[in-house]
Amino acid sequence: MNVSIIAGGAGFVGCNLLPLLAKEDRHLMVLDNLCRGREEYLDAARDAAPGRVHFVHVDLSDHAATLQAFESALKLGAIDEVWHLAANSDIPAGVMDANVDLRDTFMTTFSLLEAMKLYKVPALHFASSSAIYGDLGGVPLHEAIGPLLPISNYGAMKLASEALISAAAESYLERANLFRFPNVVGAPATHGVILDFINKLQTDPGRLDVLGDGTQQKAYLHVSDLVDAMMHIRAATHLPKIFPVNIGPVDDGVTVRFIAQSVIARVSPQAGIHFGTGNKGWVGDVPKFQYSVERLREAGWAPSRNSADAVRHAIDQIATQEGFAAGVTNG
Amino acid sequence: MNVSIIAGGAGFVGCNLLPLLAKEDRHLMVLDNLCRGREEYLDAARDAAPGRVHFVHVDLSDHAATLQAFESALKLGAIDEVWHLAANSDIPAGVMDANVDLRDTFMTTFSLLEAMKLYKVPALHFASSSAIYGDLGGVPLHEAIGPLLPISNYGAMKLASEALISAAAESYLERANLFRFPNVVGAPATHGVILDFINKLQTDPGRLDVLGDGTQQKAYLHVSDLVDAMMHIRAATHLPKIFPVNIGPVDDGVTVRFIAQSVIARVSPQAGIHFGTGNKGWVGDVPKFQYSVERLREAGWAPSRNSADAVRHAIDQIATQEGFAAGVTNG
C-alpha cells in the first residue's frame, strides 16, 4: 500500500484534507510540530481509516529529524507523494522576526525536498500563497504576472519555496503542484480574522474594534472548497509537470466591514463596530486584490461557495467551535 | 565619511566595481569568504584610494560573523549602502547539492538583511540573475513576466533572495535594486565557458570538446558595462524604491559555436572543434533566451558593447590572464 506524507497535516487545512485522502486505499503519515496543529484533529480521519492514519511529532526544519520521519513512513510502504502544508501562519510575527518564516515556512520545504530526493518520492503538492504576488496595485493577479515582490517574510518564504521546488522539478521530481492559496476560512480555526472577532466579542459583547477602516477587501474560499480543488488538480493527468495555480472563488471578495457585521449578527447582534483608519491592517498585509482563477477553471474546477457564503459558513462553524449555540446564524 | 559594504567584493564583479566606487569620497569595506575571490583583486582599488579600501575575510552565511564585520565597518563611518555580490557561482555544483546555494547564495542574503535591519542601513544593491526566469520557452524575458520557475538551485536561491529583499523593502529598507545579471564576461575570470575553453586548449592545443551541439545561444555583457549600468541605476533618483531590472545587451546573443571559434582564433587557430549533442549543457542550463532590457533603456542606460564584442574582448583579456601573448586577437 502506498504512503502519502502530509507535512503540517495536523493543522487547519491538513485535517480537512485527510478525510478525502483516507478514502483511497493508502497510508497517511502526518508530520507536524503541533505548533498550531493538534493531534486530535486527526480523529475524523482515523475513524474513517482505522490503522491507516499515522502521526510523527517532528520539526521539519530539522533535516535529520525529517529523514527519520521518512524512514518511519517507508516501513508502511512506498511513499508516492508529499503534501507540504507546514508553515508559519502568523504573518506579523514573521515580519517582526525573519527567522520565523525562514525556519517554519522555508527550511521545512528545503528539508522535505532533500528527503524526497534521497528517497525518490515523485510528487509534491505544495501549499503556496497569494502572498507571493505582493501589492501589484489592484491589477488582476494571474499566474503569468510579475514582478513578484512579496511584502511579508511569509510571502517571501512561500515564493522562495516555490523557487526551490521548481528547481527540484527540473532535476528529480516527477510532478509538483504549487497551490497558491487565497484567504481560507473554515473550521477548526486556529487564527484569522473571524476567530479574532469572535474572541473579541467574547471579551466585550458590546463592542468590536476593527483594525483599519473596514474597506479592505479580500476573496475568501471555504476550506472544503480548497481541499476539493487540490484533489481535483492532483487527479488531473494532462497538466504540466510543474503547475503553479491560483485557488480561489470567482468573485472579488468581501470587505472587513462585511465580516465584522456577519460575525456580530451571528454571535452578538447588539455590539457596535468601531473602525480604525487606513486600509492596511499591518505591515505585510495587501489591501485589495483581484485573484484570477482562470487557470483553475480551465483545469475544470469551480468552487461551491462564493466569498460571502464561505465567510458566513465559516463564521457559523467557528462560533460553534467557540461555544456559541449552533443554528442561530442568518448566513 | 560614509561606508559602502561590498559583500563578495573580492570576486569577478566586485573587483570591477570597486574602482568606480573608489572615485567617491567614501570608505569601501569588502566582505568575502575568498572561495572564488582573491584579496589581490582589490589592489587596483587600493592604489586608487589609499587607506579607503578595507577587507574582512568572513563567511556571510554566518550571522554572528556578519554582524561582527558590520561592527568593523561602523568604526569607519556610517554605512549607507550594501552591495550584495556574494553567491555560489558554480551552478552545476548547486544542482548536485542544494546546500551549496542555500548557504552561499541565500543565507548570505538573509544575514546581510538582518545586519542591515539592526544597523539601519538604508540601501541595498543586489546581484540577481536571469536564472530566476527559468526556461520560458523563447519568449522575451521582461520584468513583468511569470511564472518564475527557475530550473537550478542557483536561480531558485537568487529568486528567494529577491523575495526576502522585497519584504525587507516594505518593512525597513529605503531602497533596493534587484540587478538581474545576464551572462557576464571579462577579467579576472575565475570560471565560465571562455576560461573553460582556454584551459582545455592549454591541455590539448589541437582539439576543443564542446558540451552540447553548439547552437545554444545566450546574450553576454562585458563586466565593464555591467558595473557601469549598476552605477547608473544607483545614481538615478526617480526610480521605485524596489526596482527589479534586467541588465544586458540589446542583441539576441551569440552561440556557443561562436565562442568556441573565437577562442580558437585567439589562442589556438589550428584546433578542431568537436561538438556533443543536444542544446543543454547541463541540468539547470537554459538553452536560448531573449532578454528584454527595455526597462533599463527607459532608465537611460545603454551598453557600449554588444554580445559578440563583449565575448571577443573578454577572450582577449582572459587569454592574456592565462599567459597567452597579448595583441594577437582578431576580435
Side-chain angles (χ1 to χ4, degrees), chain B residues 37 69 169 210 220 242 268 272 299:
Chain B
V210 175
Y220 292 89
I242 176 132
S268 192

Side-chain angles (χ1 to χ4, degrees), chain B residues 139-189:
Chain B
V139 295
L141 303 179
H142 54 79
E143 294 84 352
I145 209 170
L148 300 180
L149 297 172
I151 62 174
S152 66
N153 286 324
Y154 174 80
M157 292 299 89
K158 284 293 189 188
L159 179 54
S161 293
E162 282 201 2
L164 206 54
I165 293 165
S166 173
E170 176 73 11
S171 179
Y172 55 89
L173 294 181
E174 284 174 25
R175 192 163 174 210
N177 290 313
L178 307 174
F179 296 121
R180 294 175 176 173
F181 286 15
N183 299 286
V184 183
V185 291

Side-chain angles (χ1 to χ4, degrees), chain A residues 137-157:
Chain A
V139 296
L141 303 179
H142 54 78
E143 294 84 352
I145 209 170
L148 300 180
L149 297 173
I151 62 173
S152 65
N153 286 324
Y154 173 80
M157 294 298 89

Side-chain angles (χ1 to χ4, degrees), chain B residues 270-281:
Chain B
Q270 75 281 13
I273 307 179
H274 298 263
F275 291 101
T277 55
N279 71 349
K280 281 197 180 192

Side-chain angles (χ1 to χ4, degrees), chain A residues 95-96 98-99 102 106 110 114 117 143-147 149-153 156-157 159-160 163-164 166-167 170 280, chain B residues 95-96 98-99 102 106-107 110 114 117 143-147 149-153 156-157 159-160 163-164 166-167 170 280:
Chain A
V95 170
M96 288 291 291
N99 287 287
L102 173 69
F106 180 69
F110 188 86
E114 288 289 281
K117 183 181 185 184
E143 294 84 352
I145 209 170
L149 297 173
I151 62 173
S152 65
N153 286 324
M157 294 298 89
L159 179 54
L164 206 54
S166 174
E170 175 74 11
K280 280 198 178 188
Chain B
V95 170
M96 289 292 290
N99 287 288
L102 174 69
F106 179 69
M107 289 309 299
F110 188 86
E114 289 287 282
K117 183 181 184 185
E143 294 84 352
I145 209 170
L149 297 172
I151 62 174
S152 66
N153 286 324
M157 292 299 89
L159 179 54
L164 206 54
S166 173
E170 176 73 11
K280 281 197 180 192

Side-chain angles (χ1 to χ4, degrees), chain B residues 119-136:
Chain B
Y119 297 115
K120 299 186 171 47
V121 182
L124 177 60
H125 309 290
F126 175 61
S128 187
S129 168
S130 62
I132 66 155
Y133 291 105
D135 186 355
L136 284 163

